[in-house]
């Protein structure tokens, strides 16, 4: 999903960085804070919620959309309490996701392709 979304978002003019796990996501966000983060709730190592909470403690103000395959999950509640702007269930409705990305990044400059 992340590779496909990267291609779609780059085609729409967004700069996109990928991370394979929570630690890599934290490092990438520290180096260049993103306007929006798309992140799975369940990941190897740190969960997406743990990553989000750590980044918030460091002052990161990025908006986060979580994606999950789990219909009922305590982490979903925790994600919302931490300030997630959306939680989408897999399989992801790509049109809805793209609409949300456009909505939350509307003030973000876009590169020409």
């Amino acid at each position: 999903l992340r590779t496909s979304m990267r291609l779609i978002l780059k085609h729409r003019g967004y700069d996109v960085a990928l991370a394979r796990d929570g630690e890599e996501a934290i490092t990438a966000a520290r180096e260049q804070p993103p306007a929006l983060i798309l992140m799975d709730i369940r990941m190897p190592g740190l969960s997406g919620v743990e990553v989000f909470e750590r980044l918030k403690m460091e002052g990161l103000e990025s908006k986060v959309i979580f994606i999950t395959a789990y219909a009922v999950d305590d982490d979903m509640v925790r994600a919302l309490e931490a300030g997630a702007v959306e939680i989408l269930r897999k399989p992801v409705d790509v049109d809805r996701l793209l609409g949300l990305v456009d909505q939350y990044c509307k003030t973000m400059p876009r590169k020409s392709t």
Side-chain angles (χ1 to χ4, degrees):
L1 177 64
R2 70 185 167 129
T3 303
S4 298
M5 285 309 307
R6 179 178 187 259
L7 292 172
I8 292 167
L9 291 170
K10 284 185 80 59
H11 180 72
R12 289 173 74 100
Y14 291 106
D15 288 323
V16 180
L18 293 181
R20 286 170 277 182
D21 58 35
E23 291 296 338
E24 193 173 302
I26 290 170
T27 299
R30 283 178 181 151
E31 290 174 4
Q32 187 165 358
L36 179 67
I37 298 171
L38 305 177
M39 187 161 35
D40 207 323
I41 286 181
R42 298 248 174 121
M43 302 188 301
L46 296 172
S47 76
V49 178
E50 290 169 323
V51 170
F52 185 35
E53 289 170 342
R54 282 181 53 182
L55 290 172
K56 282 187 66 172
M57 286 178 18
E58 294 181 17
L60 184 79
E61 296 182 9
S62 300
K63 293 173 177 66
V64 176
I65 296 174
F66 280 104
I67 300 168
T68 186
Y70 302 94
V72 178
D73 193 348
D74 290 340
D75 285 337
M76 289 173 62
V77 173
R78 205 167 134 204
L80 291 170
E81 289 173 349
V85 294
E86 298 283 342
I87 297 178
L88 301 177
R89 289 189 173 88
K90 294 178 184 177
V92 173
D93 177 337
V94 175
D95 290 330
R96 179 158 189 254
L97 178 58
L98 292 173
L100 291 169
V101 170
D102 289 342
Q103 174 187 335
Y104 290 114
C105 294
K106 63 184 167 193
T107 59
M108 189 172 114
R110 293 169 73 172
K111 296 188 320 184
S112 58
T113 54

